[in-house]
Amino acid sequence: MSRFKPSQFRILAAIVWFVMICISDYSPFKQWEMSRELVALKEQKKFMEKEIVRVHDERKAINESPTSLETFAREKYHMKKENEEVFVLVDEQGNPVE
C-alpha cells in the first residue's frame, strides 16, 4: 500500500513548488533581481576604476609643480593670500559654484 494518496501528493507537490518559486533564495524572482544588481555593480565598478585613474592623474599633475598645487588649493579650498579678497559664487542651495 502507498503511503500517500494522489491528492496528498498533489498538495505536497504544490507546497514544494510554492516554496521553491516564491520563498527560496533560488527562486527565479530572486535570481533575476540579483542578476540586475550584479549588472549595476559591474557598471559602478567600471565608473569607480575610471574615477581612480582620473584622480591619480590629477594628483600627479598637482604634485608636479608648486604653482599647480597653489592653484588647486586656491580653487578647491578657497584659500587666499594675505591682503587678497576672494569672492565665492553660490547657487540657490548655497553650494559653491565651480
Side-chain angles (χ1 to χ4, degrees), residues 52-62:
I52 287 170
V53 169
R54 185 191 65 78
V55 168
H56 179 69
D57 292 343
E58 183 179 316
R59 188 175 118 200
K60 185 178 177 182
I62 288 171

Side-chain angles (χ1 to χ4, degrees), residues 35-94:
S35 69
R36 285 184 43 213
E37 184 178 347
L38 180 64
V39 169
L41 288 173
K42 285 181 180 180
E43 289 176 7
Q44 186 178 5
K45 179 184 175 189
K46 285 180 187 178
F47 171 76
M48 291 298 174
E49 287 173 346
K50 289 178 184 176
E51 195 68 17
I52 287 170
V53 169
R54 185 191 65 78
V55 168
H56 179 69
D57 292 343
E58 183 179 316
R59 188 175 118 200
K60 185 178 177 182
I62 288 171
N63 289 331
E64 284 180 355
S65 68
T67 56
S68 62
L69 182 60
E70 180 183 354
T71 304
F72 176 77
R74 292 169 67 113
E75 290 176 357
K76 186 79 171 179
Y77 298 110
H78 310 295
M79 298 179 128
K80 64 180 187 117
K81 294 181 181 179
E82 290 184 27
N83 300 325
E84 182 179 58
E85 291 183 21
V86 176
F87 296 96
V88 178
L89 302 175
V90 295
D91 59 7
E92 292 82 19
Q93 290 82 22

Side-chain angles (χ1 to χ4, degrees), residues 1-6 8:
M1 268 212 314
S2 175
R3 229 173 130 179
F4 292 109
K5 294 181 183 176
Q8 291 175 333

Side-chain angles (χ1 to χ4, degrees), residues 20-32:
M20 291 299 292
I21 297 297
C22 299
I23 297 175
S24 171
D25 285 338
Y26 302 105
S27 71
F29 304 118
K30 290 199 181 193
Q31 292 292 323
W32 181 69

Side-chain angles (χ1 to χ4, degrees), residues 10-24 29:
R10 288 186 185 128
I11 293 172
L12 181 62
I15 291 171
V16 169
W17 179 83
F18 177 77
V19 168
M20 291 299 292
I21 297 297
C22 299
I23 297 175
S24 171
F29 304 118

